[in-house]
């Protein structure tokens, strides 16, 4: 029995990056031997075990063969005869197909170390094209390592393009797709993930609503970058630069989908794109079964982001409606995430990345004013039920009018 550290742990150590998760491969062992040593089996698909003390995953060396569509369409074969090289060749990228023994001696049959040094994301073997999930994984690695200068090898991008055209991407489950998408959006350069998907034709399969934004112009006065797709990438980039949570990044990606529906004869204006985009945002949310908080914020940002930009011009009554829509009294965090998504939208424009956004503090102040209206005096006046709600609304409107006047003076 020989045990090797494999995959990301080896890759990140060689890159000088922190190693978080460690995966191990066991060569020359049987399931019975692993159980005898106290390892606990997990999963039904292939023999993976948890170490009795560390809890880390140890997998028996295995080969795999395509047997159906999608990520799960494989049969696995694990036996003591399977070699380390046979196990490594089934992996996605050369930089993930290296192994180390306990003396840090490197086994690198597919030249992963060379590709690390040359900053190339390259597939290990033609079997790469058998697993559609690898399209998303490679795009995610491109986003993760973009700051180090990594690029996808042209021949790998070509395989990704073939996979995108094969219909295999449609066989991915919503859960597997969302796991990769959500992880990619939380990388330092998530816009690279979207760009790589577009470069290989996967974006128009997975998110045609986002892909449709590229080539659609906007008014140059507000959008010096002009192209709606490039603007979306820039907004996503800003959300990462400002360390925003997944909810905000997802909303930034989807906020302008309605612009993809504007007839060409109306370009570069996009009248009512906020309302038109809601059905598209809803479709993308449902396609990937995004978490509820991501779904809700994306829809609200899509509908109201131009309200955010025009906050200083809004009538007090419109401002109150906006606050009510977000339920700022019980869910203040959601409104805060809306504000920062609007700010990312304002900054995601060529040459305007450092612009100030006074609307943010103005909206925060308005929310505080509305929340500050006391209920007790109205109860003491005898208001209750629907009448109490209306009275509370009137008092909040009064307070917002005063706030708006003081902010203008």
């Amino acid at each position: 029995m020989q045990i090797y550290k494999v995959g990301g742990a080896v890759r990140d150590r060689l890159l000088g990056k922190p190693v978080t998760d460690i995966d191990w491969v066991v060569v020359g062992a049987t399931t019975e031997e692993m159980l005898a040593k106290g390892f606990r089996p997990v999963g039904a698909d292939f023999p993976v075990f948890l170490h009795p003390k560390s809890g880390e995953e140890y997998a028996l060396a295995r080969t795999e063969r395509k047997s159906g569509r999608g990520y799960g369409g494989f049969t696995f074969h694990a036996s003591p005869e399977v070699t380390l090289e046979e196990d490594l060749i089934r992996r996605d990228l050369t930089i993930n197909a290296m192994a180390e023994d306990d003396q840090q001696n490197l086994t690198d049959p597919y030249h992963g170390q060379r590709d690390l040094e040359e900053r190339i994301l390259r597939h290990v073997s033609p079997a790469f094209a058998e697993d559609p999930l690898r399209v998303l994984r490679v795009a995610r690695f491109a986003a993760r390592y973009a700051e180090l200068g990594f690029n996808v090898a042209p021949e790998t991008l070509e395989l990704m393009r073939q996979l995108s055209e094969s219909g295999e991407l449609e066989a991915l489950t919503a859960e597997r797709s969302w796991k990769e998408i959500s992880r990619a959006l939380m990388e330092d350069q998530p816009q690279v993930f979207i760009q790589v998907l577009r470069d290989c034709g996967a974006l128009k399969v997975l998110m045609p609503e986002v892909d449709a934004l590229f080539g659609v112009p906007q008014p140059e006065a507000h959008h010096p970058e002009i192209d709606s797709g490039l603007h979306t990438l820039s907004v996503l980039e800003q959300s990462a630069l400002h360390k925003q949570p997944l909810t905000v990044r997802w909303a930034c990606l989807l906020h302008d989908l309605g612009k993809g529906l504007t007839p060409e004869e109306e370009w570069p204006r996009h009248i009512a794109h906020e309302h038109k985009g809601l059905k598209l945002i809803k479709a993308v949310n449902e396609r990937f079964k995004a978490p509820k908080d991501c779904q809700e914020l994306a829809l609200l940002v899509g509908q109201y982001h131009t309200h955010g930009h025009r906050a200083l011009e809004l009538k007090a009554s419109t401002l109150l409606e906006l606050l009510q829509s977000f339920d700022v009294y019980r869910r203040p965090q959601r409104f805060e995430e809306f504000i920062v998504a609007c700010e990312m939208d304002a900054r995601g424009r060529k040459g305007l990345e450092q612009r100030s956004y006074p609307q943010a503090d103005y909206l925060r102040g308005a929310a505080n004013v509305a929340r500050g209206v006391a209920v007790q005096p109205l109860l003491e006046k005898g208001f209750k039920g629907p009448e109490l709600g209306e009275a509370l609304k009137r008092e909040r409107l009064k307070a917002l009018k005063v706030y708006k006047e003081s902010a203008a003076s």
Side-chain angles (χ1 to χ4, degrees):
M1 180 188 299
Q2 294 170 294
I3 298 175
Y4 298 90
K5 190 182 294 183
V6 294
V10 180
R11 176 198 68 225
D12 288 343
R13 185 188 72 76
L14 292 172
L15 281 173
K17 285 186 160 287
V19 173
T20 49
D21 297 325
I22 300 179
D23 292 319
W24 304 87
V25 159
V26 184
V27 177
T30 64
T31 296
E32 292 72 26
E33 287 175 285
M34 297 296 285
L35 296 175
K37 289 182 178 293
F39 284 82
R40 303 190 307 277
V42 292
D45 292 339
F46 44 81
V48 177
F49 304 84
L50 298 181
H51 191 280
K53 292 182 180 176
S54 70
E56 291 174 337
E57 285 194 357
Y58 286 66
L60 295 187
R62 65 187 187 270
T63 59
E64 62 186 33
R65 184 171 55 83
K66 184 76 168 170
S67 60
R69 293 188 78 208
Y71 166 75
F74 293 89
T75 53
F76 298 94
H77 169 67
S79 80
E81 288 73 42
V82 176
T83 66
L84 179 60
E85 288 75 13
E86 286 174 324
D87 181 89
L88 293 175
I89 200 171
R90 65 181 177 77
R91 296 171 186 269
D92 51 6
L93 297 171
T94 60
I95 65 169
N96 296 329
M98 297 180 284
E100 284 180 346
D101 62 16
D102 56 4
Q103 302 298 312
Q104 286 193 346
N105 294 312
L106 190 68
T107 299
D108 181 19
Y110 309 109
H111 311 296
Q113 189 171 23
R114 181 193 64 193
D115 285 345
L116 274 185
E117 292 166 358
E118 295 181 1
R119 302 303 197 239
I120 293 173
L121 301 173
R122 192 193 314 274
H123 64 282
V124 178
S125 78
F128 174 94
E130 294 177 352
D131 184 355
L133 191 68
R134 289 176 169 176
V135 172
L136 290 164
R137 277 177 56 83
V138 173
R140 174 165 64 81
F141 281 118
R144 176 180 297 180
Y145 296 122
E147 64 175 353
L148 297 178
F150 274 82
N151 289 293
V152 182
E155 62 270 28
T156 302
L157 198 65
E158 179 56 33
L159 277 184
M160 293 165 68
R161 190 174 293 112
Q162 291 172 20
L163 259 175
S164 300
E165 293 170 356
S166 70
E168 281 275 326
L169 289 177
E170 289 95 324
L172 290 174
T173 65
E175 291 77 10
R176 289 299 310 180
S177 296
W178 176 254
K179 185 177 180 180
E180 289 297 327
I181 291 167
S182 58
R183 289 178 71 184
L185 291 180
M186 292 308 295
E187 299 289 0
D188 287 340
Q189 295 199 38
Q191 77 282 1
V192 173
F193 171 72
I194 300 299
Q195 184 62 59
V196 170
L197 290 183
R198 184 161 187 268
D199 290 343
C200 71
L203 189 62
K204 66 183 175 187
V205 178
L206 296 167
M207 299 184 200
E209 301 87 351
V210 176
D211 190 67
L213 295 174
F214 290 88
V216 175
Q218 306 162 104
E220 189 173 358
H222 301 294
H223 288 276
E225 72 287 347
I226 300 178
D227 189 283
S228 297
L230 296 181
H231 167 62
T232 295
L233 294 183
S234 296
V235 177
L236 194 52
E237 181 179 13
Q238 288 296 315
S239 73
L241 283 172
H242 290 85
K243 309 296 183 188
Q244 298 302 338
L246 177 61
T247 45
V248 172
R249 298 187 193 205
W250 183 240
C252 285
L253 177 62
L254 305 185
H255 78 286
D256 262 352
L257 292 188
K259 290 179 179 177
L261 296 176
T262 305
E264 284 190 35
E265 59 269 20
E266 294 179 18
W267 289 354
R269 300 181 70 205
H270 298 278
I271 298 166
H273 76 275
E274 307 89 346
H275 178 71
K276 292 175 185 174
L278 293 181
K279 63 182 179 182
L280 300 183
I281 295 172
K282 188 175 182 183
V284 179
N285 276 336
E286 291 177 353
R287 185 178 311 135
F288 298 110
K289 296 182 181 175
K292 189 178 179 184
D293 56 346
C294 288
Q295 294 200 27
E296 289 178 350
L297 187 69
L299 286 164
L300 287 165
V301 170
Q303 185 170 0
Y304 293 113
H305 62 276
T306 49
H307 275 53
H309 301 328
R310 294 175 46 245
L312 302 172
E313 309 158 27
L314 296 180
K315 295 186 295 184
S317 57
T318 307
L319 197 52
L320 179 59
E321 287 173 13
L322 178 66
L323 297 174
Q324 303 272 80
S325 298
F326 280 85
D327 192 6
V328 295
Y329 318 108
R330 291 182 299 178
R331 301 188 62 180
Q333 182 59 31
R334 185 167 66 175
F335 191 61
E336 175 59 30
E337 291 181 351
F338 164 74
I339 292 172
V340 295
C342 290
E343 185 170 358
M344 298 306 99
D345 181 22
R347 290 175 181 269
R349 305 171 195 224
K350 188 177 180 181
L352 301 175
E353 295 85 359
Q354 304 302 320
R355 76 192 308 186
S356 62
Y357 196 70
Q359 296 94 322
D361 285 340
Y362 181 78
L363 287 169
R364 291 184 184 109
N368 287 334
V369 164
R371 279 194 290 263
V373 173
V375 180
Q376 192 58 36
L378 299 175
L379 291 171
E380 291 171 359
K381 288 181 180 177
F383 287 107
K384 56 186 177 181
E387 290 182 346
L388 175 62
E390 286 302 312
L392 195 53
K393 195 173 177 180
R394 285 194 298 272
E395 292 302 312
R396 286 169 174 159
L397 183 57
K398 282 184 198 172
L400 286 172
K401 284 180 178 176
V402 172
Y403 172 73
K404 183 171 174 59
E405 289 168 4
S406 65
S409 60

